[in-house]
Amino acid sequence: MTDNNKMHLLGFVQHGVMNHASTMWAHPRDKVGYHWSRPEYWRDLGRTMERGLFDAMFIADELAPYTTYKGNSDPVVKFAGQCPVHEPASVVPIVGAFTKHLGIGITLSTSFVPPYMMARQLSTLDHLTGGRVGWNIVTSYSKSEFQAMGKENLTPRDKRYEVVEEYMQLLYQLWDSWDDDAIVYDRENGVFADPAKVREVDFQGEFFTSKGRHFVAPSPQKRPVLWQAGSSEQGRDFAAKHAESVFGIFPTPKSMRAYADDIRTRASDAGRDPESVKLIYGLQTIIDRDKSRANDRYAEFVEKVQIESALGILSGHTGFDFSTLGLDDNVVDADVQGIRGLFDAILEAKDGAPVTVREAAQIYGVSMGAPVAVGTPSDVADQMEQYVDEGGCNGFMMLATDVPGCFTDMTELLVPELQRRGRFRTRYPGTTLRESLQEY
């Protein structure tokens, strides 16, 4: 078995009562003995993932309640449809303090944080975790976010990537502005650093200006690991140019492979080694030693989905108000202003066959359109091998169901099966997130 066939695993969660499975917060197995807003929950969740040798805990985010569905946020408030959601970066020092190897990836929007402050925050967190921070680069797409932030107009989708491209160029200059030998720590003469080796950045762009030295000493990774989830044409170009890891949700091996081939071609065109861009696809698992019990648990899980909650989230993510359609109407292609990839995942959920709004809600409410693997550890490992071998991905973003139990099942049941097959690591390769991601 070659290293290229080994998988990366990341735990996909959110700093809220709900993760990415609609109404799972109401399940009797969810967060037993924990409260999602308390440090103990995050401490033990991180420890469980590290015991399973996960690359990272990946924390998604949303900055305000969704208001696209029916023009208000009542449905998401009523059913906890990714509401409330607490700030993700606050969790990083907690998870970092109680783990030694697990990376922590956080979603932070470029739309509302000045580049200088973003560089400072991420460098600080990388120090606090000993080099285990990753950043999911997003540009805000939700009308509710812009309204909550006191901004009336969304940045047009075709303009977003022009803005974030310049944003990244400024960040790179800041992160790279301290030479490796800039800090001398000369106690005898009282000299901390050589000013000649700490360059002042003087950036004058179309969208951003900044003049000053980066206010944080070089962190262990110097730059955080960069994640992106580009699905539109501009998004794919951006991901191929900047991302060390790309996250996507695709319902079939065919759609997985098409995306993998496209991103790797674009990365090569951008002058990068295409194999250096790790493709991590969303996957949800229901695992039990007994297959029939796993199927029963999945059926119970599906029954929990509240259609209105799922449609509130789906509408918020895509920017399309699904209340304008009947539940038995077919979903048709639309020029959505939100997350294009998630809308496409619904259109492709039945491999090209029509999908009704009701079916879309059920699919999205369970796994946001990601495939679901149900069964014994062997059954689930078989499906994962198919996605790696036929879909061309490097690993999986494991969507949470009942937490922390689902990650305990992955760690205690699935990981040993993957290791037995030579498909997963048996130890961490180093101390930083970048080392784990680039191991194979």
Side-chain angles (χ1 to χ4, degrees):
M1 185 66 63
T2 67
D3 279 351
N4 289 336
N5 291 314
K6 288 185 177 179
M7 305 174 192
H8 295 271
L9 296 182
L10 298 93
F12 196 32
V13 295
Q14 197 163 32
H15 192 182
V17 65
M18 175 192 152
N19 289 293
H20 299 91
S22 180
T23 331
M24 199 62 188
W25 60 268
H27 197 284
R29 279 195 302 271
D30 192 64
K31 302 179 186 67
V32 176
Y34 294 99
H35 193 281
W36 55 271
S37 68
R38 301 296 302 152
E40 295 80 9
Y41 170 74
W42 294 101
R43 175 197 67 194
D44 291 353
L45 189 58
R47 284 173 167 173
T48 297
M49 291 184 189
E50 183 164 79
R51 192 158 47 91
L53 301 175
F54 280 48
D55 286 50
M57 177 189 295
F58 188 99
I59 308 172
D61 196 26
E62 175 67 23
L63 299 176
Y66 303 120
T67 58
T68 305
Y69 185 69
K70 295 184 177 180
N72 64 73
S73 57
D74 285 356
V76 295
V77 171
K78 181 176 181 179
F79 299 110
Q82 291 189 338
C83 176
V85 174
H86 292 190
E87 196 278 325
S90 306
V91 172
V92 174
I94 297 171
V95 177
F98 289 100
T99 57
K100 294 182 179 180
H101 302 279
L102 182 73
I104 308 106
I106 52 174
T107 302
L108 298 173
S109 174
T110 62
S111 297
F112 308 113
V113 181
Y116 187 85
M117 293 299 296
M118 183 73 79
R120 187 185 189 210
Q121 180 179 20
L122 288 166
S123 292
T124 300
L125 293 173
D126 200 51
H127 274 292
L128 291 174
T129 58
R132 291 185 282 138
V133 163
W135 174 33
N136 179 31
I137 308 165
V138 298
T139 60
S140 289
Y141 58 86
S142 171
K143 182 180 179 181
S144 63
E145 291 185 331
F146 279 81
Q147 289 178 332
M149 298 294 172
K151 297 180 181 291
E152 288 302 317
N153 297 317
L154 280 71
T155 306
R157 188 175 65 192
D158 59 353
K159 195 73 170 177
R160 285 182 215 157
Y161 285 101
E162 291 182 39
V163 177
V164 74
E165 175 67 35
E166 188 175 290
Y167 193 106
M168 294 306 299
Q169 295 309 318
L170 174 50
L171 289 184
Y172 293 148
Q173 289 190 28
L174 290 165
W175 283 325
D176 296 344
S177 62
W178 287 61
D179 289 349
D180 291 340
D181 59 349
I183 297 176
V184 296
Y185 253 122
D186 183 349
R187 296 177 184 270
E188 184 176 345
N189 294 299
V191 176
F192 175 76
D194 182 350
K197 297 181 178 181
V198 184
R199 291 174 295 283
E200 181 181 73
V201 172
D202 188 358
F203 189 93
Q204 304 294 323
E206 180 182 355
F207 307 106
F208 303 102
T209 62
S210 179
K211 185 175 182 179
R213 288 184 165 108
H214 185 34
F215 213 23
V216 183
S219 71
Q221 295 185 121
K222 202 162 187 179
R223 301 178 180 183
V225 170
L226 301 179
W227 259 287
Q228 223 272 327
S231 297
S232 66
E233 284 298 308
Q234 302 100 320
R236 292 180 186 218
D237 282 340
F238 181 86
K241 180 178 180 180
H242 296 279
E244 296 169 71
S245 180
V246 181
F247 169 48
I249 287 184
F250 303 96
T252 65
K254 179 181 177 182
S255 58
M256 291 176 183
R257 173 60 72 173
Y259 184 80
D261 291 346
D262 184 60
I263 288 293
R264 288 179 175 133
T265 297
R266 291 177 195 245
S268 181
D269 291 344
R272 301 179 64 192
D273 174 4
E275 297 304 318
S276 70
V277 182
K278 304 304 179 183
L279 300 177
I280 309 297
Y281 292 162
L283 178 69
Q284 191 173 83
T285 59
I286 311 291
I287 308 166
D288 198 290
R289 288 186 175 88
D290 182 273
K291 188 169 185 174
S292 63
R293 279 202 304 265
N295 288 328
D296 289 344
R297 286 174 57 188
Y298 178 61
E300 182 184 36
F301 174 22
V302 172
E303 288 176 4
K304 282 286 183 185
V305 173
Q306 291 278 358
I307 295 295
E308 196 169 19
S309 173
L311 289 177
I313 300 167
L314 176 58
S315 296
H317 283 171
T318 62
F320 179 83
D321 183 2
F322 279 85
S323 73
T324 60
L325 303 175
L327 289 178
D328 296 319
D329 291 343
N330 288 334
V331 179
V332 295
D333 199 2
D335 183 21
V336 300
Q337 290 299 306
I339 305 174
R340 180 72 226 182
L342 294 179
F343 194 85
D344 288 340
I346 292 300
L347 292 175
E348 299 165 5
K350 295 171 65 177
D351 204 15
V355 179
T356 68
V357 172
R358 189 188 311 275
E359 289 173 327
Q362 291 169 334
I363 293 166
Y364 210 78
V366 170
S367 67
M368 292 202 319
V372 184
V374 181
T376 65
S378 180
D379 295 328
V380 173
D382 286 345
Q383 195 163 330
M384 294 171 75
E385 286 186 318
Q386 179 189 13
Y387 293 149
V388 169
D389 298 341
E390 297 181 20
C393 69
N394 299 105
F396 301 94
M397 193 77 75
M398 307 297 280
L399 277 68
T401 53
D402 56 305
V403 185
C406 68
F407 291 109
T408 301
D409 290 342
M410 295 174 205
T411 292
E412 296 182 354
L413 302 178
L414 178 61
V415 165
E417 177 64 22
L418 294 174
Q419 289 171 330
R420 185 185 67 78
R421 300 178 184 209
R423 290 287 199 165
F424 194 62
R425 64 168 60 99
T426 56
R427 58 169 179 76
Y428 281 104
T431 59
T432 70
L433 173 54
R434 185 166 284 114
E435 286 174 297
S436 291
L437 191 67
Q438 296 297 337
E439 179 185 7
Y440 46 78

